[in-house]
Amino acid sequence: MDRPSLTLLLAAPRGFCAGVDRAIRIVEEALARHGAPVYVRHEIVHNRHVVDDLRGKGAVFVQELDEIPDDGRPVVFSAHGVPRSVVTESLRRRMFTLDATCPLVTKVHREAARHHARGRHILLIGHAGHPEVVGTMGQLPPGGVTLVESIAQALTVAPPDGPLAWTSQTTLSVDDTAGILAVLQDRFPDLVGPAKEDICYATSNRQAAVKAMVAKGASLVIVVGAPHSSNSRRLSEVAEQAGAKAVLLQDPSELDPAMADGHATVGLTAGASAPESLVQGMTRTLAGRFALATEEVTVAEERIAFRLPAALEAAPATLASRTLAAD
């Protein structure tokens, strides 16, 4: 029997961003130079396939530093960033740390610290409990940041009297953030913001690609990503807001190709922490049921690459020599 036809639109860009690529390379390079184990505080990025792959190579994932013995092994901070208290504790214990925080998140940290130093209270647009938000709020003393999660909260938030500044989580919906910010700026006309928006280029590009696929006729958008990945969930929301049905799946094993029945055009994208291999696996699964006509929908070309920490760019040093120097 002939397979039904299906147009499959592939979002470009999709998948790994420069920050995620850098974070993974930091763990891999630490393992290559110093062997296993290399400890990683929290998931290096929000994707179980990436985490399981690194675990298989010798990475040990922990929730907090108190789970790590004082054995001098490398300790990597995840791409989402950490509160200053974590850095302080690592210094107290003289840990050999490698900071895999995305440089764009580090920029937000520095902005928040700069505003605080100038006497401004920070309004942070983001989601409570997300590791990036925890890390950003943890850059300042308690009470220095007020979190705003929605337009409803923006309408009622009551920050302390005095000058205000705003910043945002880097993986939010561009449109939703703009709506929240508009309310805040209307209520607080002297609100100071960053010179350039904090939502990262990769988040913006991936959301724009989803909108472009829906504009080209995709009535179903498949997003490859983890359910606890903020940027992946935002891609699903953007697709639905644009008028398509959206599904968020972790890998090809979760894809029932029959869900594309009745759709002439389907869009496929991946969150910033999802490997391209999962996208290709999704394509193969769909090809088992449909005669695919594949087209890439490109909205931007990404050529950004972030450098590794200096400790990994320098000539390799043995772990023993580092430990002796610390002693």
Side-chain angles (χ1 to χ4, degrees), residues 39-82:
Y39 296 99
V40 184
R41 182 184 180 275
H42 292 184
E43 292 183 336
I44 188 67
V45 296
H46 282 158
N47 188 277
R48 74 181 186 194
H49 296 277
V50 171
V51 170
D52 287 347
D53 179 65
L54 293 174
R55 184 180 287 117
K57 295 176 180 177
V60 176
F61 293 87
V62 301
Q63 288 301 305
E64 299 299 342
L65 297 186
D66 59 13
E67 301 173 50
I68 302 174
D70 290 321
D71 57 4
R73 302 300 307 173
V75 178
V76 180
F77 297 151
S78 80
H80 309 101
V82 299

Side-chain angles (χ1 to χ4, degrees), residues 43-182:
E43 292 183 336
I44 188 67
V45 296
H46 282 158
N47 188 277
R48 74 181 186 194
H49 296 277
V50 171
V51 170
D52 287 347
D53 179 65
L54 293 174
R55 184 180 287 117
K57 295 176 180 177
V60 176
F61 293 87
V62 301
Q63 288 301 305
E64 299 299 342
L65 297 186
D66 59 13
E67 301 173 50
I68 302 174
D70 290 321
D71 57 4
R73 302 300 307 173
V75 178
V76 180
F77 297 151
S78 80
H80 309 101
V82 299
R84 291 182 65 85
S85 59
V86 173
V87 177
T88 299
E89 175 63 10
S90 70
L91 291 172
R92 185 190 69 80
R93 291 179 58 184
R94 302 173 72 187
M95 289 178 157
F96 170 26
T97 60
L98 297 166
D99 189 0
T101 302
C102 174
L104 299 181
V105 175
T106 299
K107 179 180 77 73
V108 174
H109 290 180
R110 290 172 177 165
E111 287 173 350
R114 185 175 66 253
H115 288 309
H116 179 74
R118 294 175 179 175
R120 298 176 183 133
H121 183 81
I122 310 297
L123 297 178
L124 172 61
I125 302 173
H127 295 130
H130 188 277
E132 182 185 329
V133 168
V134 172
T136 298
M137 295 184 72
Q139 300 305 304
L140 304 183
V145 181
T146 297
L147 183 63
V148 182
E149 297 187 81
S150 64
I151 287 179
Q153 288 186 358
L155 288 166
T156 59
V157 65
D161 291 336
L164 299 173
W166 73 274
T167 188
S168 74
Q169 184 180 334
T170 63
T171 55
L172 300 178
S173 161
V174 174
D175 295 335
D176 289 350
T177 302
I180 294 171
L181 180 58

